[in-house]
Amino acid sequence: MILAVLYFLSMATTLAANRIAERKLRDRQARRAQIISAARRIAELEGWSNVTVRRLSDEISYSQPVLYAHFGSRKGILTAVAIEGFQEIGLALEKARKRAKRGGAVESVAAAYLEFAASSPALYEVMFSLSLSVPFDDRATPPELHFAFSQLLELFRGQSSKPEVISELFWAGLHGIAELTRTKRFPRSRQKERVRALVELFTLPR
């Protein structure tokens, strides 16, 4: 009887400890998401130069040590935003690729990529244009980046002996169009023509 009671108490203590640990994890994840969301909101309205630890601390009423505990530095916050951006663009490209009619996947993905870049300029900027230590094509590359690139790779897998290289060149073309349009080097009036020409270049004969 005593052993049964002790076992019950032990189990109850373990369950309580697990619930506390789960709640702390949820709270931590919620704080992290809130910080990232605030950084994105400020950047879209005012630019990344205004996304500082002090500004974020004031914006969401967390102390600066709390922000540092989550991300280590301002650059850590920007890196987290960039990684989130790659997950989002990966999902957008996956959706475009899967809903495309037969033979139209390259054009559908190209349009989705450029729409993402145009609709979220600050997010796109932090993904590619700021000096962050996010490794590409490396063992340390975050899975979100692999996921995004895989959506491009799927377009050319089995159609070329070097699908990775073709995918990189297609990506380079899309990124060039996105950046030169964002910085107003390319007039938007010819955007459809550019996309059509790029798609023709990368639509491989079957």
Side-chain angles (χ1 to χ4, degrees), residues 34-43 48 50-64 67 71 73-74 76-78 81:
Q34 189 177 0
I35 294 164
I36 291 173
S37 177
R40 291 178 60 166
R41 184 170 62 252
I42 295 169
W48 287 106
N50 287 299
V51 180
T52 64
V53 174
R54 175 172 291 181
R55 175 67 186 280
L56 285 168
S57 176
D58 293 340
E59 186 81 8
I60 57 180
S61 301
Y62 286 145
S63 68
Q64 292 185 44
L67 273 70
F71 297 100
S73 65
R74 175 182 182 271
I77 296 170
L78 301 192
V81 174

PDB file of all heavy atoms in Angstrom, residues 34-43 48 50-64 67 71 73-74 76-78 81:
ATOM      1  N   GLN A  34       6.649  36.412 -30.987  1.00  0.00           N
ATOM      2  CA  GLN A  34       6.241  37.802 -30.825  1.00  0.00           C
ATOM      3  C   GLN A  34       7.379  38.749 -31.190  1.00  0.00           C
ATOM      4  O   GLN A  34       7.159  39.790 -31.829  1.00  0.00           O
ATOM      5  CB  GLN A  34       5.790  38.052 -29.384  1.00  0.00           C
ATOM      6  CG  GLN A  34       5.146  39.415 -29.168  1.00  0.00           C
ATOM      7  CD  GLN A  34       4.641  39.603 -27.739  1.00  0.00           C
ATOM      8  OE1 GLN A  34       4.769  38.714 -26.903  1.00  0.00           O
ATOM      9  NE2 GLN A  34       4.068  40.756 -27.460  1.00  0.00           N
ATOM     10  N   ILE A  35       8.590  38.388 -30.797  1.00  0.00           N
ATOM     11  CA  ILE A  35       9.760  39.219 -31.115  1.00  0.00           C
ATOM     12  C   ILE A  35       9.987  39.258 -32.624  1.00  0.00           C
ATOM     13  O   ILE A  35      10.215  40.323 -33.212  1.00  0.00           O
ATOM     14  CB  ILE A  35      11.009  38.685 -30.383  1.00  0.00           C
ATOM     15  CG1 ILE A  35      10.849  38.846 -28.871  1.00  0.00           C
ATOM     16  CG2 ILE A  35      12.265  39.420 -30.859  1.00  0.00           C
ATOM     17  CD1 ILE A  35      11.836  38.026 -28.044  1.00  0.00           C
ATOM     18  N   ILE A  36       9.915  38.097 -33.273  1.00  0.00           N
ATOM     19  CA  ILE A  36      10.110  38.023 -34.725  1.00  0.00           C
ATOM     20  C   ILE A  36       9.034  38.825 -35.445  1.00  0.00           C
ATOM     21  O   ILE A  36       9.314  39.571 -36.394  1.00  0.00           O
ATOM     22  CB  ILE A  36      10.116  36.556 -35.194  1.00  0.00           C
ATOM     23  CG1 ILE A  36      11.380  35.840 -34.682  1.00  0.00           C
ATOM     24  CG2 ILE A  36      10.033  36.466 -36.715  1.00  0.00           C
ATOM     25  CD1 ILE A  36      11.391  34.349 -34.959  1.00  0.00           C
ATOM     26  N   SER A  37       7.797  38.686 -35.001  1.00  0.00           N
ATOM     27  CA  SER A  37       6.685  39.412 -35.618  1.00  0.00           C
ATOM     28  C   SER A  37       6.872  40.919 -35.484  1.00  0.00           C
ATOM     29  O   SER A  37       6.633  41.675 -36.443  1.00  0.00           O
ATOM     30  CB  SER A  37       5.368  38.979 -34.968  1.00  0.00           C
ATOM     31  OG  SER A  37       4.287  39.701 -35.495  1.00  0.00           O
ATOM     32  N   ALA A  38       7.318  41.358 -34.321  1.00  0.00           N
ATOM     33  CA  ALA A  38       7.535  42.796 -34.110  1.00  0.00           C
ATOM     34  C   ALA A  38       8.662  43.303 -35.002  1.00  0.00           C
ATOM     35  O   ALA A  38       8.567  44.405 -35.572  1.00  0.00           O
ATOM     36  CB  ALA A  38       7.861  43.059 -32.646  1.00  0.00           C
ATOM     37  N   ALA A  39       9.724  42.527 -35.136  1.00  0.00           N
ATOM     38  CA  ALA A  39      10.844  42.924 -35.993  1.00  0.00           C
ATOM     39  C   ALA A  39      10.376  43.076 -37.438  1.00  0.00           C
ATOM     40  O   ALA A  39      10.728  44.055 -38.123  1.00  0.00           O
ATOM     41  CB  ALA A  39      11.961  41.891 -35.900  1.00  0.00           C
ATOM     42  N   ARG A  40       9.567  42.139 -37.903  1.00  0.00           N
ATOM     43  CA  ARG A  40       9.064  42.211 -39.274  1.00  0.00           C
ATOM     44  C   ARG A  40       8.158  43.423 -39.461  1.00  0.00           C
ATOM     45  O   ARG A  40       8.218  44.108 -40.486  1.00  0.00           O
ATOM     46  CB  ARG A  40       8.316  40.922 -39.623  1.00  0.00           C
ATOM     47  CG  ARG A  40       9.216  39.719 -39.740  1.00  0.00           C
ATOM     48  CD  ARG A  40       8.447  38.450 -40.048  1.00  0.00           C
ATOM     49  NE  ARG A  40       7.714  38.529 -41.303  1.00  0.00           N
ATOM     50  CZ  ARG A  40       7.181  37.488 -41.921  1.00  0.00           C
ATOM     51  NH1 ARG A  40       7.317  36.277 -41.397  1.00  0.00           N
ATOM     52  NH2 ARG A  40       6.539  37.630 -43.058  1.00  0.00           N
ATOM     53  N   ARG A  41       7.320  43.691 -38.487  1.00  0.00           N
ATOM     54  CA  ARG A  41       6.377  44.807 -38.584  1.00  0.00           C
ATOM     55  C   ARG A  41       7.122  46.142 -38.658  1.00  0.00           C
ATOM     56  O   ARG A  41       6.801  46.991 -39.503  1.00  0.00           O
ATOM     57  CB  ARG A  41       5.436  44.781 -37.384  1.00  0.00           C
ATOM     58  CG  ARG A  41       4.344  45.839 -37.431  1.00  0.00           C
ATOM     59  CD  ARG A  41       3.301  45.608 -36.346  1.00  0.00           C
ATOM     60  NE  ARG A  41       3.862  45.689 -35.002  1.00  0.00           N
ATOM     61  CZ  ARG A  41       4.057  44.638 -34.196  1.00  0.00           C
ATOM     62  NH1 ARG A  41       3.761  43.418 -34.591  1.00  0.00           N
ATOM     63  NH2 ARG A  41       4.570  44.809 -32.978  1.00  0.00           N
ATOM     64  N   ILE A  42       8.118  46.325 -37.805  1.00  0.00           N
ATOM     65  CA  ILE A  42       8.894  47.568 -37.808  1.00  0.00           C
ATOM     66  C   ILE A  42       9.638  47.722 -39.126  1.00  0.00           C
ATOM     67  O   ILE A  42       9.665  48.801 -39.730  1.00  0.00           O
ATOM     68  CB  ILE A  42       9.878  47.594 -36.619  1.00  0.00           C
ATOM     69  CG1 ILE A  42       9.121  47.637 -35.296  1.00  0.00           C
ATOM     70  CG2 ILE A  42      10.819  48.797 -36.728  1.00  0.00           C
ATOM     71  CD1 ILE A  42      10.000  47.406 -34.079  1.00  0.00           C
ATOM     72  N   ALA A  43      10.238  46.618 -39.599  1.00  0.00           N
ATOM     73  CA  ALA A  43      11.021  46.672 -40.837  1.00  0.00           C
ATOM     74  C   ALA A  43      10.157  47.037 -42.034  1.00  0.00           C
ATOM     75  O   ALA A  43      10.560  47.833 -42.893  1.00  0.00           O
ATOM     76  CB  ALA A  43      11.717  45.337 -41.070  1.00  0.00           C
ATOM     77  N   TRP A  48      14.972  48.177 -41.924  1.00  0.00           N
ATOM     78  CA  TRP A  48      15.709  47.352 -40.962  1.00  0.00           C
ATOM     79  C   TRP A  48      16.630  48.149 -40.043  1.00  0.00           C
ATOM     80  O   TRP A  48      16.975  47.690 -38.951  1.00  0.00           O
ATOM     81  CB  TRP A  48      16.516  46.287 -41.703  1.00  0.00           C
ATOM     82  CG  TRP A  48      15.629  45.216 -42.249  1.00  0.00           C
ATOM     83  CD1 TRP A  48      15.268  45.013 -43.549  1.00  0.00           C
ATOM     84  CD2 TRP A  48      14.942  44.217 -41.487  1.00  0.00           C
ATOM     85  NE1 TRP A  48      14.397  43.953 -43.642  1.00  0.00           N
ATOM     86  CE2 TRP A  48      14.187  43.445 -42.403  1.00  0.00           C
ATOM     87  CE3 TRP A  48      14.893  43.896 -40.138  1.00  0.00           C
ATOM     88  CZ2 TRP A  48      13.388  42.375 -42.002  1.00  0.00           C
ATOM     89  CZ3 TRP A  48      14.102  42.834 -39.727  1.00  0.00           C
ATOM     90  CH2 TRP A  48      13.365  42.086 -40.657  1.00  0.00           C
ATOM     91  N   ASN A  50      15.874  50.512 -38.305  1.00  0.00           N
ATOM     92  CA  ASN A  50      15.120  50.849 -37.091  1.00  0.00           C
ATOM     93  C   ASN A  50      14.801  49.635 -36.230  1.00  0.00           C
ATOM     94  O   ASN A  50      14.190  49.785 -35.166  1.00  0.00           O
ATOM     95  CB  ASN A  50      13.828  51.566 -37.469  1.00  0.00           C
ATOM     96  CG  ASN A  50      14.073  52.989 -37.950  1.00  0.00           C
ATOM     97  OD1 ASN A  50      14.597  53.811 -37.226  1.00  0.00           O
ATOM     98  ND2 ASN A  50      13.725  53.258 -39.198  1.00  0.00           N
ATOM     99  N   VAL A  51      15.186  48.467 -36.695  1.00  0.00           N
ATOM    100  CA  VAL A  51      14.953  47.259 -35.895  1.00  0.00           C
ATOM    101  C   VAL A  51      16.163  47.054 -34.994  1.00  0.00           C
ATOM    102  O   VAL A  51      17.168  46.454 -35.369  1.00  0.00           O
ATOM    103  CB  VAL A  51      14.733  46.023 -36.793  1.00  0.00           C
ATOM    104  CG1 VAL A  51      14.484  44.782 -35.932  1.00  0.00           C
ATOM    105  CG2 VAL A  51      13.556  46.245 -37.726  1.00  0.00           C
ATOM    106  N   THR A  52      16.081  47.592 -33.794  1.00  0.00           N
ATOM    107  CA  THR A  52      17.140  47.459 -32.805  1.00  0.00           C
ATOM    108  C   THR A  52      16.591  46.733 -31.589  1.00  0.00           C
ATOM    109  O   THR A  52      15.372  46.645 -31.399  1.00  0.00           O
ATOM    110  CB  THR A  52      17.667  48.838 -32.363  1.00  0.00           C
ATOM    111  OG1 THR A  52      16.595  49.540 -31.712  1.00  0.00           O
ATOM    112  CG2 THR A  52      18.138  49.645 -33.562  1.00  0.00           C
ATOM    113  N   VAL A  53      17.483  46.226 -30.772  1.00  0.00           N
ATOM    114  CA  VAL A  53      17.050  45.524 -29.561  1.00  0.00           C
ATOM    115  C   VAL A  53      16.281  46.480 -28.655  1.00  0.00           C
ATOM    116  O   VAL A  53      15.251  46.113 -28.079  1.00  0.00           O
ATOM    117  CB  VAL A  53      18.261  44.909 -28.832  1.00  0.00           C
ATOM    118  CG1 VAL A  53      17.826  44.316 -27.490  1.00  0.00           C
ATOM    119  CG2 VAL A  53      18.914  43.839 -29.691  1.00  0.00           C
ATOM    120  N   ARG A  54      16.761  47.709 -28.537  1.00  0.00           N
ATOM    121  CA  ARG A  54      16.065  48.683 -27.682  1.00  0.00           C
ATOM    122  C   ARG A  54      14.666  48.970 -28.218  1.00  0.00           C
ATOM    123  O   ARG A  54      13.697  49.020 -27.453  1.00  0.00           O
ATOM    124  CB  ARG A  54      16.875  49.976 -27.601  1.00  0.00           C
ATOM    125  CG  ARG A  54      16.166  51.097 -26.840  1.00  0.00           C
ATOM    126  CD  ARG A  54      17.057  52.277 -26.626  1.00  0.00           C
ATOM    127  NE  ARG A  54      18.122  51.982 -25.691  1.00  0.00           N
ATOM    128  CZ  ARG A  54      19.051  52.858 -25.300  1.00  0.00           C
ATOM    129  NH1 ARG A  54      19.022  54.093 -25.774  1.00  0.00           N
ATOM    130  NH2 ARG A  54      19.993  52.512 -24.451  1.00  0.00           N
ATOM    131  N   ARG A  55      14.544  49.169 -29.528  1.00  0.00           N
ATOM    132  CA  ARG A  55      13.235  49.463 -30.120  1.00  0.00           C
ATOM    133  C   ARG A  55      12.285  48.281 -29.928  1.00  0.00           C
ATOM    134  O   ARG A  55      11.106  48.458 -29.612  1.00  0.00           O
ATOM    135  CB  ARG A  55      13.409  49.767 -31.609  1.00  0.00           C
ATOM    136  CG  ARG A  55      12.085  49.967 -32.352  1.00  0.00           C
ATOM    137  CD  ARG A  55      11.366  51.225 -31.888  1.00  0.00           C
ATOM    138  NE  ARG A  55      10.046  51.322 -32.500  1.00  0.00           N
ATOM    139  CZ  ARG A  55       9.820  51.748 -33.737  1.00  0.00           C
ATOM    140  NH1 ARG A  55      10.842  52.132 -34.503  1.00  0.00           N
ATOM    141  NH2 ARG A  55       8.601  51.796 -34.211  1.00  0.00           N
ATOM    142  N   LEU A  56      12.777  47.072 -30.140  1.00  0.00           N
ATOM    143  CA  LEU A  56      11.937  45.893 -29.945  1.00  0.00           C
ATOM    144  C   LEU A  56      11.503  45.757 -28.490  1.00  0.00           C
ATOM    145  O   LEU A  56      10.360  45.398 -28.202  1.00  0.00           O
ATOM    146  CB  LEU A  56      12.695  44.632 -30.394  1.00  0.00           C
ATOM    147  CG  LEU A  56      12.825  44.436 -31.899  1.00  0.00           C
ATOM    148  CD1 LEU A  56      13.834  43.328 -32.191  1.00  0.00           C
ATOM    149  CD2 LEU A  56      11.475  44.109 -32.516  1.00  0.00           C
ATOM    150  N   SER A  57      12.421  46.056 -27.581  1.00  0.00           N
ATOM    151  CA  SER A  57      12.110  45.988 -26.153  1.00  0.00           C
ATOM    152  C   SER A  57      10.971  46.941 -25.808  1.00  0.00           C
ATOM    153  O   SER A  57      10.034  46.589 -25.083  1.00  0.00           O
ATOM    154  CB  SER A  57      13.353  46.333 -25.330  1.00  0.00           C
ATOM    155  OG  SER A  57      13.052  46.357 -23.956  1.00  0.00           O
ATOM    156  N   ASP A  58      11.015  48.155 -26.364  1.00  0.00           N
ATOM    157  CA  ASP A  58       9.955  49.135 -26.125  1.00  0.00           C
ATOM    158  C   ASP A  58       8.651  48.704 -26.798  1.00  0.00           C
ATOM    159  O   ASP A  58       7.568  48.887 -26.243  1.00  0.00           O
ATOM    160  CB  ASP A  58      10.374  50.505 -26.654  1.00  0.00           C
ATOM    161  CG  ASP A  58      11.534  51.099 -25.877  1.00  0.00           C
ATOM    162  OD1 ASP A  58      11.755  50.660 -24.729  1.00  0.00           O
ATOM    163  OD2 ASP A  58      12.226  51.977 -26.424  1.00  0.00           O
ATOM    164  N   GLU A  59       8.784  48.131 -27.990  1.00  0.00           N
ATOM    165  CA  GLU A  59       7.608  47.781 -28.794  1.00  0.00           C
ATOM    166  C   GLU A  59       6.762  46.694 -28.133  1.00  0.00           C
ATOM    167  O   GLU A  59       5.530  46.744 -28.168  1.00  0.00           O
ATOM    168  CB  GLU A  59       8.072  47.317 -30.180  1.00  0.00           C
ATOM    169  CG  GLU A  59       6.959  47.051 -31.170  1.00  0.00           C
ATOM    170  CD  GLU A  59       6.433  48.321 -31.823  1.00  0.00           C
ATOM    171  OE1 GLU A  59       7.039  49.397 -31.618  1.00  0.00           O
ATOM    172  OE2 GLU A  59       5.410  48.234 -32.514  1.00  0.00           O
ATOM    173  N   ILE A  60       7.415  45.682 -27.571  1.00  0.00           N
ATOM    174  CA  ILE A  60       6.664  44.531 -27.054  1.00  0.00           C
ATOM    175  C   ILE A  60       6.764  44.386 -25.532  1.00  0.00           C
ATOM    176  O   ILE A  60       6.309  43.391 -24.964  1.00  0.00           O
ATOM    177  CB  ILE A  60       7.123  43.223 -27.730  1.00  0.00           C
ATOM    178  CG1 ILE A  60       8.630  43.010 -27.521  1.00  0.00           C
ATOM    179  CG2 ILE A  60       6.782  43.221 -29.208  1.00  0.00           C
ATOM    180  CD1 ILE A  60       9.145  41.736 -28.174  1.00  0.00           C
ATOM    181  N   SER A  61       7.368  45.384 -24.887  1.00  0.00           N
ATOM    182  CA  SER A  61       7.436  45.430 -23.414  1.00  0.00           C
ATOM    183  C   SER A  61       8.154  44.231 -22.803  1.00  0.00           C
ATOM    184  O   SER A  61       7.744  43.708 -21.761  1.00  0.00           O
ATOM    185  CB  SER A  61       6.015  45.546 -22.832  1.00  0.00           C
ATOM    186  OG  SER A  61       5.378  46.705 -23.300  1.00  0.00           O
ATOM    187  N   TYR A  62       9.215  43.778 -23.469  1.00  0.00           N
ATOM    188  CA  TYR A  62      10.120  42.797 -22.875  1.00  0.00           C
ATOM    189  C   TYR A  62      11.445  43.500 -22.614  1.00  0.00           C
ATOM    190  O   TYR A  62      11.858  44.369 -23.393  1.00  0.00           O
ATOM    191  CB  TYR A  62      10.376  41.616 -23.814  1.00  0.00           C
ATOM    192  CG  TYR A  62       9.226  40.647 -23.953  1.00  0.00           C
ATOM    193  CD1 TYR A  62       8.966  40.019 -25.168  1.00  0.00           C
ATOM    194  CD2 TYR A  62       8.396  40.344 -22.879  1.00  0.00           C
ATOM    195  CE1 TYR A  62       7.924  39.119 -25.303  1.00  0.00           C
ATOM    196  CE2 TYR A  62       7.349  39.456 -23.002  1.00  0.00           C
ATOM    197  CZ  TYR A  62       7.116  38.846 -24.216  1.00  0.00           C
ATOM    198  OH  TYR A  62       6.076  37.962 -24.345  1.00  0.00           O
ATOM    199  N   SER A  63      12.114  43.125 -21.548  1.00  0.00           N
ATOM    200  CA  SER A  63      13.402  43.740 -21.267  1.00  0.00           C
ATOM    201  C   SER A  63      14.430  43.301 -22.313  1.00  0.00           C
ATOM    202  O   SER A  63      14.299  42.235 -22.940  1.00  0.00           O
ATOM    203  CB  SER A  63      13.887  43.342 -19.871  1.00  0.00           C
ATOM    204  OG  SER A  63      14.199  41.955 -19.839  1.00  0.00           O
ATOM    205  N   GLN A  64      15.452  44.112 -22.499  1.00  0.00           N
ATOM    206  CA  GLN A  64      16.495  43.763 -23.460  1.00  0.00           C
ATOM    207  C   GLN A  64      17.173  42.434 -23.112  1.00  0.00           C
ATOM    208  O   GLN A  64      17.462  41.638 -24.020  1.00  0.00           O
ATOM    209  CB  GLN A  64      17.510  44.898 -23.564  1.00  0.00           C
ATOM    210  CG  GLN A  64      16.915  46.155 -24.197  1.00  0.00           C
ATOM    211  CD  GLN A  64      17.934  47.243 -24.414  1.00  0.00           C
ATOM    212  OE1 GLN A  64      19.039  46.997 -24.878  1.00  0.00           O
ATOM    213  NE2 GLN A  64      17.565  48.481 -24.061  1.00  0.00           N
ATOM    214  N   LEU A  67      15.323  39.582 -24.710  1.00  0.00           N
ATOM    215  CA  LEU A  67      15.582  39.456 -26.145  1.00  0.00           C
ATOM    216  C   LEU A  67      16.941  38.813 -26.404  1.00  0.00           C
ATOM    217  O   LEU A  67      17.073  37.942 -27.262  1.00  0.00           O
ATOM    218  CB  LEU A  67      15.503  40.820 -26.830  1.00  0.00           C
ATOM    219  CG  LEU A  67      14.106  41.252 -27.288  1.00  0.00           C
ATOM    220  CD1 LEU A  67      13.208  41.582 -26.097  1.00  0.00           C
ATOM    221  CD2 LEU A  67      14.185  42.457 -28.221  1.00  0.00           C
ATOM    222  N   PHE A  71      17.864  35.348 -28.563  1.00  0.00           N
ATOM    223  CA  PHE A  71      18.542  35.425 -29.860  1.00  0.00           C
ATOM    224  C   PHE A  71      20.030  35.759 -29.787  1.00  0.00           C
ATOM    225  O   PHE A  71      20.720  35.652 -30.789  1.00  0.00           O
ATOM    226  CB  PHE A  71      17.839  36.474 -30.735  1.00  0.00           C
ATOM    227  CG  PHE A  71      16.413  36.125 -31.047  1.00  0.00           C
ATOM    228  CD1 PHE A  71      15.377  36.703 -30.329  1.00  0.00           C
ATOM    229  CD2 PHE A  71      16.105  35.227 -32.051  1.00  0.00           C
ATOM    230  CE1 PHE A  71      14.058  36.404 -30.619  1.00  0.00           C
ATOM    231  CE2 PHE A  71      14.783  34.910 -32.344  1.00  0.00           C
ATOM    232  CZ  PHE A  71      13.767  35.493 -31.622  1.00  0.00           C
ATOM    233  N   SER A  73      21.733  38.368 -30.025  1.00  0.00           N
ATOM    234  CA  SER A  73      22.127  39.663 -30.576  1.00  0.00           C
ATOM    235  C   SER A  73      21.069  40.141 -31.560  1.00  0.00           C
ATOM    236  O   SER A  73      20.146  39.400 -31.910  1.00  0.00           O
ATOM    237  CB  SER A  73      23.472  39.542 -31.312  1.00  0.00           C
ATOM    238  OG  SER A  73      23.326  38.681 -32.443  1.00  0.00           O
ATOM    239  N   ARG A  74      21.222  41.370 -32.017  1.00  0.00           N
ATOM    240  CA  ARG A  74      20.332  41.888 -33.065  1.00  0.00           C
ATOM    241  C   ARG A  74      20.443  41.030 -34.313  1.00  0.00           C
ATOM    242  O   ARG A  74      19.441  40.719 -34.961  1.00  0.00           O
ATOM    243  CB  ARG A  74      20.692  43.341 -33.385  1.00  0.00           C
ATOM    244  CG  ARG A  74      19.901  43.925 -34.550  1.00  0.00           C
ATOM    245  CD  ARG A  74      20.337  45.352 -34.854  1.00  0.00           C
ATOM    246  NE  ARG A  74      19.543  45.939 -35.939  1.00  0.00           N
ATOM    247  CZ  ARG A  74      19.864  45.832 -37.221  1.00  0.00           C
ATOM    248  NH1 ARG A  74      20.962  45.156 -37.585  1.00  0.00           N
ATOM    249  NH2 ARG A  74      19.098  46.407 -38.150  1.00  0.00           N
ATOM    250  N   GLY A  76      21.110  37.957 -34.487  1.00  0.00           N
ATOM    251  CA  GLY A  76      20.393  36.709 -34.248  1.00  0.00           C
ATOM    252  C   GLY A  76      18.901  36.849 -34.525  1.00  0.00           C
ATOM    253  O   GLY A  76      18.268  35.923 -35.044  1.00  0.00           O
ATOM    254  N   ILE A  77      18.341  38.012 -34.190  1.00  0.00           N
ATOM    255  CA  ILE A  77      16.930  38.272 -34.470  1.00  0.00           C
ATOM    256  C   ILE A  77      16.699  38.334 -35.971  1.00  0.00           C
ATOM    257  O   ILE A  77      15.769  37.718 -36.505  1.00  0.00           O
ATOM    258  CB  ILE A  77      16.471  39.584 -33.804  1.00  0.00           C
ATOM    259  CG1 ILE A  77      16.569  39.471 -32.278  1.00  0.00           C
ATOM    260  CG2 ILE A  77      15.043  39.941 -34.221  1.00  0.00           C
ATOM    261  CD1 ILE A  77      16.361  40.783 -31.544  1.00  0.00           C
ATOM    262  N   LEU A  78      17.571  39.057 -36.684  1.00  0.00           N
ATOM    263  CA  LEU A  78      17.418  39.181 -38.137  1.00  0.00           C
ATOM    264  C   LEU A  78      17.583  37.822 -38.819  1.00  0.00           C
ATOM    265  O   LEU A  78      16.884  37.522 -39.793  1.00  0.00           O
ATOM    266  CB  LEU A  78      18.440  40.173 -38.692  1.00  0.00           C
ATOM    267  CG  LEU A  78      18.396  41.603 -38.147  1.00  0.00           C
ATOM    268  CD1 LEU A  78      19.270  42.523 -38.991  1.00  0.00           C
ATOM    269  CD2 LEU A  78      16.979  42.136 -38.103  1.00  0.00           C
ATOM    270  N   VAL A  81      14.386  35.933 -38.482  1.00  0.00           N
ATOM    271  CA  VAL A  81      13.397  36.450 -39.429  1.00  0.00           C
ATOM    272  C   VAL A  81      13.674  35.904 -40.829  1.00  0.00           C
ATOM    273  O   VAL A  81      12.759  35.476 -41.537  1.00  0.00           O
ATOM    274  CB  VAL A  81      13.406  37.990 -39.451  1.00  0.00           C
ATOM    275  CG1 VAL A  81      12.473  38.516 -40.549  1.00  0.00           C
ATOM    276  CG2 VAL A  81      12.979  38.560 -38.104  1.00  0.00           C
TER     277      VAL A  81
END
